[in-house]
Amino acid sequence: MPWPAPHAHRRRPIRRSVAVLGLLGLATAPAWAARPMVTDDARLVDPQACQLETWRRVGPEGGESWALPACNPAGGLELTLGGARQRGEGPATDAVLLQAKTLFRPLTPGDWGYGLAVGTVQRPGPADEFYAYLPFSRSFGLDELLLHANLGLLHEGATRRERLSWGLGLEWAVAPRLGGIAEVFDQAAGRPMVQIGLRSWLLPGRLQLDATAGERLGGEPRSRWLSLGLRLLTPPFLP
């Protein structure tokens, strides 16, 4: 699912302004493309289960902290409701993200899948954003290599304009509980941003740690960022 781009890279952050590019992660669990990727994959949280994605991004122009709980109560629709606190050159600001995601063709090992996600990021004032995007994923082998692509449309409340967003990403296996991730994406109609990092399962299938570094292509050092995050997945428990 799309997530807000680093605050240091755009004045109106949203890891989900419909980002589109994916990255990669390895492990022995079935769900890959997730935090810290901006690009989404063609998968959902397990039926009747939930997950919590949390991360901190920092850069020369400020930082942001996110918490995004998501659940799949009925088996075919993943719902996310979370928020962020962002600090830059001015006062700290808060954002709330609401998203719904479904699949038309679920991704399975050695095959491909796609779906649809729609959502909004709400902030004080007229800076709300609304978005929709199509996540596509292709698996090679037994998920040793995954390719992700997103294509979407973002509506900016402040400017009342629509903008195309896109992205491409990879996930690959490095070791039994370690995976690599890399992606390139554009959410701001400017020079694309790139991100690369690692993900590791602390508890296979339940608790994952990630770390990444990124920057805008051709940008100045002030466009760079570092991130550290945790992802928690629950077993099915919802009625």
Side-chain angles (χ1 to χ4, degrees), residues 93-106:
T93 59
D94 295 324
V96 176
L97 180 146
L98 175 62
Q99 177 178 284
K101 176 184 173 184
T102 190
L103 298 179
F104 304 122
R105 179 187 172 107

Side-chain angles (χ1 to χ4, degrees), residues 176-188:
R177 292 192 185 183
L178 183 66
I181 57 178
E183 67 175 338
V184 57
F185 58 95
D186 186 4
Q187 299 176 326

Side-chain angles (χ1 to χ4, degrees), residues 7-8 11 60-63 86-92 222:
H7 181 67
R11 303 294 180 184
E61 294 185 351
Q86 300 163 331
R87 295 182 181 275
E89 298 174 352
R222 291 178 64 85

Side-chain angles (χ1 to χ4, degrees), residues 50-142:
C50 295
Q51 73 173 8
L52 173 63
E53 295 175 313
T54 65
W55 70 93
R56 172 71 177 167
R57 277 194 178 113
V58 294
E61 294 185 351
E64 58 188 42
S65 299
W66 281 84
L68 293 178
C71 294
N72 183 3
L77 183 65
E78 179 183 287
L79 301 174
T80 301
L81 175 61
R85 168 59 61 93
Q86 300 163 331
R87 295 182 181 275
E89 298 174 352
T93 59
D94 295 324
V96 176
L97 180 146
L98 175 62
Q99 177 178 284
K101 176 184 173 184
T102 190
L103 298 179
F104 304 122
R105 179 187 172 107
L107 177 65
T108 56
D111 206 343
W112 59 274
Y114 72 102
L116 172 67
V118 297
T120 178
V121 177
Q122 301 289 313
R123 300 183 191 79
D128 297 343
E129 296 175 354
F130 300 89
Y131 63 85
Y133 66 94
L134 297 172
F136 170 87
S137 296
R138 177 69 167 91
S139 168
F140 298 90
L142 296 177

